[in-house]
Amino acid sequence: MAHNIKGVLISREEIAKVVDDLAARISQDYAGKELVVIGVLKGSFIFLADLVRKIDLPIIIDFMSVSSYYGGTKSSGVVKIIKDLDNDIEGKHVLIVEDIVDSGLTLQNLKEMLLTRNPASLRVCAAFDKPERRKTDITAEYTGMLIPDEFIIGYGLDYDGSYRSLPDVCILSVDGGNE
Ligand code: IMP
Ligand code: MG
């Protein structure tokens, strides 16, 4: 399938401002507490790195890898745990950091699973959100930017494993690959 980069949707400067705002809100909301930040691999790694350096709290960082995408531009709605957390989250204040909420199925499944481990609290921070595509009623407590129903790449987000290292968020058009 032919695909090409249509242009920048969100510049690195805009992203930096959004990250600052999110970090300020999180620092305020959890003041006096220790936070366990869970990065959902791989898409969140750049956002997480930027975010945690701006949060003014003691932080433990852990990662999970779940899979709901199998090389295409549509979520399958099936979540499989590929790498579990290294640490116990019971009694901890946990913040899941995601790259993007699309159908919401990944997050819904992940949240349900993590809640069975009895954290003190569990919230979600997503860099980007495509509300038009939602198939569940899940919303992240902290959302960086709402974006239109387009497939985006860069700032950690990939298409088939590529483009994660682009510093700006760009739109990818896939000829013949829509839906
Ligand atoms: P959901 O389960 O449909 O919400 O899908 C969430 C996951 O799909 C995200 O964590 C991304 O890995 C991937 N995803 C959804 N939309 C995009 C996109 O526009 N670009 C790249 N990855 C995406
Ligand atoms: Mg992801």
Side-chain angles (χ1 to χ4, degrees):
M1 257 182 302
H3 58 272
N4 59 294
I5 300 175
K6 280 208 299 206
V8 173
L9 179 68
I10 312 164
S11 70
R12 63 199 78 181
E13 292 82 11
E14 288 174 274
I15 296 169
K17 277 192 214 131
V18 165
V19 171
D20 280 353
D21 289 349
L22 288 171
R25 280 178 56 203
I26 292 165
S27 303
Q28 199 171 30
D29 291 356
Y30 291 90
K33 295 177 179 141
E34 182 186 69
L35 193 58
V36 175
V37 173
I38 297 178
V40 184
L41 293 171
K42 298 173 189 166
S44 70
F45 81 108
I46 293 177
F47 175 49
L48 180 139
D50 283 349
L51 186 70
V52 293
R53 285 180 293 169
K54 298 281 183 169
I55 296 177
D56 186 18
L57 296 170
I59 290 182
I60 305 275
I61 296 169
D62 209 334
F63 291 98
M64 279 195 91
S65 180
V66 296
S67 163
S68 62
Y69 255 66
Y70 298 103
T73 54
K74 271 217 105 176
S75 176
S76 67
V78 178
V79 173
K80 191 169 92 182
I81 296 181
I82 293 159
K83 184 218 169 286
D84 206 339
L85 300 174
D86 292 333
N87 303 297
D88 194 358
I89 56 165
E90 185 165 353
K92 309 276 188 188
H93 293 285
V94 176
L95 184 67
I96 300 171
V97 174
E98 253 288 26
D99 50 1
I100 185 165
V101 188
D102 186 26
S103 71
L105 294 170
T106 308
L107 261 185
Q108 170 147 310
N109 286 299
L110 192 57
K111 266 189 100 170
E112 276 170 18
M113 198 270 294
L114 292 177
L115 279 172
T116 66
R117 301 182 187 187
N118 300 319
S121 67
L122 181 64
R123 289 184 181 172
V124 176
C125 177
F128 308 108
D129 187 356
K130 285 195 245 183
E132 286 170 54
R133 306 239 322 157
R134 199 70 90 258
K135 291 197 183 116
T136 66
D137 57 8
I138 200 156
T139 35
E141 284 80 2
Y142 305 97
T143 300
M145 289 190 99
L146 299 182
I147 58 158
D149 182 10
E150 302 266 14
F151 196 83
I152 58 169
I153 50 166
Y155 198 65
L157 291 124
D158 73 309
Y159 173 72
D160 232 355
S162 294
Y163 308 115
R164 291 193 198 276
S165 59
L166 295 179
D168 307 301
V169 169
C170 300
I171 295 177
L172 188 80
S173 68
V174 181
D175 301 331
N178 281 342
E179 310 300 298

